[in-house]
Amino acid sequence: MRSVAITAIEAEPASRIVGDDELGAETGLDVAVVRKWSAARQRRESPDGEGPTALAARAAMRALASRSLAASDIDLIVFATNTPDMFFPGSGCLLQAALGCRTVGGLDLRSQCTGFLAALDAARRFVATGTMQRVLVAAADTPSHFNARDSRSPALTCGMADAGAAAILEAGSGAGEILSVVVGTDGSRHADYWCEYPASRFREGTTLPERNRLPLSKVEAGLHFPSAKLDRLRELALERVPAAFATSLAQAGVDNVSATLVAHLDAGVERDLGRALGEAAGRILVSDLLYCGGTSLPVIMATARARGDLRSGDMVAMVTSGSGASWGSAVVRVP
């Protein structure tokens, strides 16, 4: 098995900055509530008609350019998103077309908040076995198009941002090397953070004209918007992430890292996780951008690297948890 490294990584926050006062006026929420969930971080939103593929494509083009590569040099696309551009086909297919790649596979992963970690783990195996030489890992989410814009779930309405990221994986060691990835899921807790409709498991109505996988009654009840049980998500993070972090260190063959990137919907949970991980975690780095689901971790890494908070070759961990219910940790060297 070959060692695998991230040879380029780029982040693409959505273009529009939406302030707390503006969001409060739009949604009718008290500005104090908006500020509570904003936690002094920046909110970015994509314009109508722009989905995750557009964000990932811009990040991917910069990542390719940084390696003097063309889209034709990519052998496989692995795309992690929880807010796909459409029900199907997958965003991986759309990204292949947007970049102008040759005919390659486009694999979508729906691992929610652990999306980037799951995509990283899947992609590295293609390279490690020699099946593929160069894999593009994309992660992008546009929760502003997905979440309710009212008082139904203030944490989601106020505490999330749109962003994309892209990483290139190739055989190699040293800077960028992926040393371990650990991801877990407890599907019995799927309703901790979920969106039930539209649902392919339902077909309401007894006659053909009545059959509908998104009944009006469910829309009126708001079941087509995500909902989150914050206490349950906090419990999951503090219960599962420290063990996953310890396992990822053991698999990487190290006792500690210089820094740990922490992403969670609740900024308070990020702080508590930082303390729970202990001295082995080194410095704790979180995003200046609001939570953007499974895209948060690569955004933190790319941003911290660009501004000099991380240096090439630094050994860091990445930890997160959330919908699924899922959790995970990885140890990598900074590209």
Side-chain angles (χ1 to χ4, degrees):
M1 299 282 280
R2 302 186 298 179
S3 297
V4 181
I6 301 170
T7 58
I9 188 166
E10 296 286 341
E12 179 68 17
S15 57
R16 180 169 172 251
I17 299 173
V18 179
D20 292 344
D21 290 344
E22 181 180 354
L23 185 66
E26 177 191 339
T27 61
L29 288 166
D30 189 291
V31 174
V33 173
V34 179
R35 288 176 180 158
K36 171 188 174 182
W37 292 110
S38 298
R41 299 185 187 184
Q42 191 175 78
R43 180 182 298 102
R44 296 283 193 121
E45 295 187 357
S46 296
D48 186 36
E50 181 176 271
T53 294
L55 295 170
R58 293 198 288 270
M61 286 188 283
R62 291 203 310 277
L64 289 166
S66 73
R67 295 274 296 121
S68 299
L69 296 171
S72 58
D73 294 314
I74 295 300
D75 299 317
L76 175 70
I77 294 170
V78 181
F79 200 134
T81 182
N82 198 38
T83 58
D85 296 76
M86 58 193 67
F87 198 79
F88 69 87
S91 296
C93 300
L94 303 182
L95 182 58
Q96 186 258 2
L99 295 176
C101 297
R102 56 192 169 85
T103 302
V104 298
L107 172 63
D108 273 42
L109 288 183
R110 295 286 302 279
S111 195
Q112 295 79 44
C113 298
T114 53
F116 179 72
L117 295 184
L120 200 66
D121 194 27
R124 69 171 176 144
R125 296 173 189 273
F126 285 100
V127 178
T129 58
T131 306
M132 304 291 178
Q133 299 304 309
R134 190 173 291 114
V135 179
L136 174 65
V137 173
D141 281 290
T142 52
S144 74
H145 297 188
F146 199 63
N147 292 329
R149 305 289 280 189
D150 54 27
S151 60
R152 297 170 205 246
S153 185
L156 302 180
T157 301
C158 307
M160 299 191 75
D162 300 349
I168 298 172
L169 270 58
E170 302 176 77
S173 57
E177 185 174 1
I178 303 167
L179 301 175
S180 66
V181 183
V182 175
V183 178
T185 301
D186 180 357
S188 70
R189 300 181 61 157
H190 66 275
D192 287 1
Y193 180 10
W194 73 324
C195 185
E196 188 176 8
Y197 284 87
S200 295
R201 63 178 177 164
F202 297 124
R203 187 193 63 184
E204 297 202 0
T206 57
T207 64
L208 187 59
E210 294 175 332
R211 290 174 182 169
N212 189 349
R213 64 186 178 90
L214 185 57
L216 178 60
S217 62
K218 306 302 181 183
V219 174
E220 291 172 340
L223 297 183
H224 60 306
F225 289 124
S227 64
K229 300 173 183 175
L230 298 179
D231 289 345
R232 293 276 289 172
L233 293 177
R234 173 186 174 80
E235 174 189 288
L236 177 82
L238 297 178
E239 176 185 307
R240 298 288 193 169
V241 171
F245 172 71
T247 300
S248 66
L249 290 183
Q251 290 186 4
V254 299
D255 296 323
N256 55 69
V257 291
S258 62
T260 297
L261 286 51
V262 182
H264 196 275
L265 172 64
D266 188 335
V269 173
E270 291 178 340
R271 291 190 295 269
D272 292 342
L273 266 181
R275 289 190 287 266
L277 297 180
E279 294 182 0
R283 294 179 295 134
I284 301 299
L285 298 180
V286 298
S287 182
D288 292 333
L289 194 67
L290 283 168
Y291 184 67
C292 41
T295 308
S296 295
L297 288 175
V299 168
I300 298 172
M301 174 174 281
T303 303
R305 180 177 174 272
R307 69 186 177 200
D309 289 344
L310 294 175
R311 297 175 298 177
S312 178
D314 284 350
M315 187 181 300
V316 302
M318 298 184 286
V319 301
T320 191
S321 71
S323 178
S326 62
W327 60 91
S329 176
V331 176
V332 304
R333 294 189 184 278
V334 177

